[in-house]
């Protein structure tokens, strides 16, 4: 199988399904992820900038330059370097130290390693100029008091692979990390298969609305059918990639958090 073909979204997801489908949602522990990186079972990783990010970056930027962009559960996404090269400041969170070190090595970037004040189990890895800062640690130990709020969020493979039971606290955290005017792009895929109850857990439009709708406006930007012969081989009957734009409902958020956003 050639590397270029492996780096497409469809193939990466197909490969991830192959590994994950044999597991149950309760297997999605931090230990699972750390072990996946140790064994380099990282079929979700893309070698090229994500097609949907390229397609919808202008929507995230909304005319702004040099913004702060957050990558929750970042892995070693090459998109981070791509955006930093365009002058944006990148902050990511990732549990695997291996993923973070591979990111800096593969992108030919030097880094400084520092402890995170107040979070004993976390560490900061950042470029000397501070354009890319990756926190090694659990996303649920992260907050706006650690690295402030963000103007943009790129969420691909972050909400979706979380256990269903963690999604509510994840969305609450994301909302607190959104600065006024933040434009959050949420990339998910909706798969159908009659007898499918494996991983990654399904996510539906109504669940996205339940998670963010109380504080945010949600707008469907893209819905693209990505079903290929390969996914059919994995037994999928439908495979649609969706991108939602999530923005704060300012009035409700002021009320919700009692701040002057
Ligand atoms: N967004 C990345 C990676 C997606 S896979 C990409 O597009 O390539 C999900 C990543 O989240 C894995 O690298 C895993 O190690 C990390 N992860 C899972 N749970 C986490 C948690 N609770 N805190 C921080 N990172 C986590």
């Amino acid at each position: 199988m050639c590397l270029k073909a492996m780096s497409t979204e469809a193939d990466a997801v197909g490969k991830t399904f192959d590994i994950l489908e044999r597991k149950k949602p309760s297997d999605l522990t931090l230990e699972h992820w750390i072990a996946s990186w140790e064994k380099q079972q990282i079929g979700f990783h893309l070698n090229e900038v994500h097609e949907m990010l390229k397609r919808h970056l202008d929507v995230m930027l909304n005319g702004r330059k040099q913004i702060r962009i957050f990558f929750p559960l970042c892995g070693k996404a090459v998109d981070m370097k791509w955006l930093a090269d365009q002058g944006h400041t990148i902050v990511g969170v990732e549990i695997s130290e291996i993923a973070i070190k591979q990111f800096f090595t593969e992108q030919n970037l030097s880094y400084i390693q520092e402890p995170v004040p107040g979070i004993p189990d976390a560490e900061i890895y950042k470029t000397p100029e501070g354009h890319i800062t990756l926190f090694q640690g659990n996303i649920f130990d992260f907050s706006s008091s650690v690295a402030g709020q963000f103007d943009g969020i790129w969420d691909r493979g972050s909400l979706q692979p979380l256990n269903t039971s963690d999604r509510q606290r994840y969305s609450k955290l994301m909302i607190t990390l959104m600065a006024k005017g933040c434009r959050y792009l949420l990339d998910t895929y909706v798969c159908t298969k009659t007898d499918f109850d494996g991983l990654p857990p399904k996510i539906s439009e109504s669940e996205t609305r339940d998670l963010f709708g109380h504080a945010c406006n949600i707008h469907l930007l893209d819905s693209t059918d990505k079903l290929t012969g390969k996914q059919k081989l994995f037994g999928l009957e439908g495979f649609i990639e969706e991108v939602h734009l999530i923005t704060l409902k300012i009035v409700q958020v002021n009320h919700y958090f009692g701040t002057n956003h």
Side-chain angles (χ1 to χ4, degrees):
M1 192 176 299
C2 82
L3 260 183
K4 189 160 171 54
M6 279 304 305
S7 73
T8 67
E9 175 76 354
D11 285 352
V13 171
K15 194 176 178 212
T16 305
F17 263 96
D18 190 33
I19 296 165
L20 290 177
E21 203 191 336
R22 290 178 238 119
K23 294 179 173 285
K24 301 181 293 300
S26 55
D27 293 333
L28 271 184
T29 57
L30 287 182
E31 292 70 33
H32 158 82
W33 289 108
I34 290 167
S36 299
W37 279 99
E38 280 166 1
K39 293 183 225 147
Q40 289 290 285
Q41 287 180 346
I42 50 168
F44 51 82
H45 176 69
L46 301 174
N47 296 319
E48 287 163 20
V49 175
H50 199 285
E51 184 193 335
M52 290 293 191
L53 177 60
K54 280 199 256 181
R55 194 183 295 172
H56 299 292
L57 179 61
D58 284 350
V59 177
M60 182 198 279
L61 295 179
N62 198 23
R64 300 170 299 173
K65 296 193 186 326
Q66 303 187 334
I67 67 169
R68 299 189 80 227
I69 303 176
F70 185 52
F71 277 67
L73 279 63
C74 60
K76 56 173 182 176
V78 301
D79 318 301
M80 298 192 282
K81 170 79 165 33
W82 184 67
L83 290 171
D85 286 345
Q86 296 175 46
H88 305 295
T89 301
I90 307 301
V91 175
V93 178
E94 165 59 50
I95 193 64
S96 166
E97 183 185 347
I98 293 174
I100 292 181
K101 288 188 171 166
Q102 283 183 359
F103 171 78
F104 284 102
T105 307
E106 291 171 10
Q107 300 301 327
N108 292 317
L109 294 168
S110 57
Y111 61 87
I112 302 165
Q113 204 172 331
E114 290 173 358
V116 184
I119 314 179
D121 293 334
E123 271 195 282
I124 293 175
Y125 295 74
K126 63 177 186 185
T127 52
E129 314 76 35
H131 288 134
I132 303 180
T133 304
L134 304 187
F135 288 80
Q136 184 265 314
N138 188 342
I139 187 88
F140 295 112
D141 291 334
F142 191 78
S143 69
S144 58
S145 60
V146 177
Q149 291 179 314
F150 300 95
D151 308 310
I153 299 177
W154 171 242
D155 183 324
R156 179 266 176 180
S158 307
L159 169 65
Q160 181 125 30
L162 284 179
N163 265 322
T164 320
S165 58
D166 285 330
R167 285 179 176 169
Q168 194 81 46
R169 63 175 174 152
Y170 175 86
S171 63
K172 280 189 179 153
L173 172 63
M174 288 303 119
I175 291 164
T176 64
L177 295 175
M178 295 171 77
K180 183 180 170 187
C182 177
R183 294 170 82 85
Y184 176 170
L185 297 185
L186 172 64
D187 178 88
T188 53
Y189 42 90
V190 181
C191 321
T192 49
K193 182 182 176 191
T194 327
D195 58 352
F196 183 79
D197 62 354
L199 294 176
K202 288 178 187 169
I203 187 151
S204 63
E205 174 85 18
S206 68
E207 186 177 353
T208 303
R209 292 194 181 275
D210 281 351
L211 291 171
F212 294 98
H214 62 287
C216 300
N217 299 307
I218 302 163
H219 175 67
L220 181 65
L221 289 177
D222 206 312
S223 178
T224 304
D225 189 349
K226 291 284 182 74
L227 189 68
T228 65
K230 183 144 189 184
Q231 268 99 46
K232 285 187 193 156
L233 275 181
F234 288 111
L236 294 184
E237 287 152 5
F239 179 76
I240 295 186
E241 186 168 5
E242 292 186 342
V243 180
H244 286 93
L245 169 66
I246 301 178
T247 54
L248 290 172
K249 285 179 194 168
I250 303 299
V251 175
Q252 285 200 14
V253 169
N254 283 347
H255 175 68
Y256 194 68
F257 294 108
T259 62
N260 292 320
H261 278 285

